[in-house]
Amino acid sequence: MRIRTLWRTAILGLIALALSPAQAEEVKLEHDGLTLNAELELAPGSELADGVILMTHGTLAHARMGIMRGLQNVFREYGYNTLAINLGLGVDDRHGMYDCQQPHTHRHTDALDEIGVWLDWLREQGAGEVTLLGHSRGGNQTAWYAAERDMSGVDAVVLIAPALWSEDYARKEYKERYGVDLQPLLDRARGLVEADKSDALMEGVDFIYCENTTVSAGAFISYYDPDPRRDTAYLVPKIEAPVLVIAGTEDDVVPGVEEAMAPLAEADAVSLAVIEGADHMFRDLYWYDVADAVEGFLSERE
């Protein structure tokens, strides 16, 4: 492990400035009628043939959010190439956070298709071995992809504070957040889907982090209908590639990652790194702890 010294605190802002987003190359491709974009960052003296970490962000977020850009900066310093993708979420050439006032027609599993599209692009570019990395909901989507889709050319999987799920918790969390029961909305959405009206819009609905928004019945079902695959701990044993899960002890967005993964780690189904003091976003110096954990994990694969 690298020794973290006090000087890093003083120069962290200079690192972020020196390795600004302007140094990353934006890559675009077409998929399902949308332009998708991603941030490609090559380490000094490196090329795609040396391998790449494909990074997927969390809920309604984007490739240039703090943790994504911060990790790209640090991974570049450590000599790793990265491709941080922007999930389209149904928006052409999307940048920045998703606008809650825009109707939601995207689905949780759209991300699996888009991860696959970017993997295909990397293969076409002659990229070396790929590591799939996902944060938060993106961690669950990455794990879901790794458990069920084409993993040729993928050497390892890294899941940072990946989303967990249980039906009871989902209902409780929705009630506490919005003050209404989830079940009537699920019943309404299911009725529309069963009537072959998945694209029908439900107005005035609370959805994910968006209050009083508009969402298609199919999208609502995709994010809320009970499915054990929304629980990353359920998916991990089904992934054939080596998996590293990184948890922060102060994570209050996805609490319980360490506890959920510990039995799997004891059974050698996953490697588990717990970072003391880190919250859900692993801000500032904790990005170095994440990179240390990833570096140690990947070096074991060599």
Side-chain angles (χ1 to χ4, degrees):
M1 296 289 287
R2 298 170 186 258
I3 299 174
R4 290 186 292 121
T5 54
L6 292 176
W7 63 266
R8 273 183 169 164
T9 302
I11 69 168
L12 191 63
L14 295 177
I15 291 174
L17 180 61
L19 302 176
S20 65
Q23 292 197 18
E25 175 190 354
E26 185 175 57
V27 181
K28 297 187 179 184
L29 52 78
E30 301 300 314
H31 167 68
D32 199 22
L34 295 176
T35 297
L36 302 180
N37 61 72
E39 297 288 310
L40 177 63
E41 183 79 70
L42 297 181
S46 186
E47 56 187 26
L48 279 177
D50 298 318
V52 61
I53 301 174
L54 194 161
M55 303 167 57
T56 302
H57 59 73
T59 305
L60 303 183
H62 59 98
R64 293 180 179 176
M65 68 182 297
I67 186 171
M68 293 289 103
R69 192 59 206 156
L71 286 177
Q72 280 198 290
N73 288 345
V74 176
F75 281 137
R76 181 178 185 272
E77 183 182 344
Y78 279 40
Y80 292 110
N81 301 322
T82 55
L83 180 71
I85 67 175
N86 255 335
L87 296 177
L89 303 180
V91 179
D92 190 58
D93 200 16
R94 189 180 72 87
H95 294 85
M97 296 295 291
Y98 192 92
D99 181 359
C100 281
Q101 298 306 308
Q102 179 163 329
H104 299 261
T105 60
H106 54 89
R107 305 189 182 199
H108 179 77
T109 50
D110 289 346
L112 280 64
D113 296 334
E114 294 184 22
I115 290 170
V117 166
W118 285 110
L119 269 175
D120 286 342
W121 180 82
L122 286 171
R123 294 175 184 125
E124 292 168 1
Q125 304 307 308
E129 291 181 337
V130 176
T131 296
L132 294 183
L133 179 151
H135 172 247
S136 196
R137 183 182 296 275
N140 174 259
Q141 291 161 326
T142 296
W144 197 329
Y145 180 94
E148 297 187 355
R149 302 290 182 93
D150 179 11
M151 289 284 281
S152 57
V154 178
D155 186 54
V157 178
V158 176
L159 310 173
I160 303 173
L164 304 175
W165 178 89
S166 75
E167 186 171 0
D168 288 343
Y169 180 81
R171 293 175 185 277
K172 178 183 177 183
E173 195 273 340
Y174 193 91
K175 178 74 171 182
E176 290 178 350
R177 180 185 292 271
Y178 296 118
V180 297
D181 291 327
L182 176 61
Q183 191 60 49
L185 291 166
L186 267 177
D187 291 342
R188 178 182 167 195
R190 282 198 195 107
L192 289 168
V193 170
E194 290 169 1
D196 199 25
K197 297 180 180 179
S198 294
D199 294 335
L201 296 178
M202 301 163 55
E203 298 181 353
V205 173
D206 300 317
F207 180 67
I208 312 179
Y209 296 146
C210 297
E211 297 181 3
N212 191 30
T213 190
T214 300
V215 56
S216 72
F220 195 88
I221 287 292
S222 176
Y223 282 89
Y224 287 110
D225 206 36
D227 189 325
R229 292 174 293 183
R230 287 206 188 85
D231 182 17
T232 306
Y234 171 86
L235 291 168
V236 164
K238 304 178 186 303
I239 300 173
E240 294 185 1
V243 179
L244 168 67
V245 174
I246 301 176
T249 60
E250 302 305 312
D251 188 346
D252 59 1
V253 176
V254 184
V257 172
E258 179 182 1
E259 293 77 7
M261 297 296 171
L264 298 175
E266 292 175 3
D268 293 326
V270 65
S271 297
L272 176 62
V274 179
I275 299 179
E276 292 290 334
D279 65 9
H280 190 62
M281 294 298 178
F282 296 82
R283 292 177 176 85
D284 300 334
L285 291 181
Y286 294 116
W287 295 332
Y288 283 95
D289 290 314
V290 169
D292 285 340
V294 172
E295 182 181 55
F297 172 67
L298 294 182
S299 66
E300 293 176 359
R301 315 267 75 77
E302 297 174 354

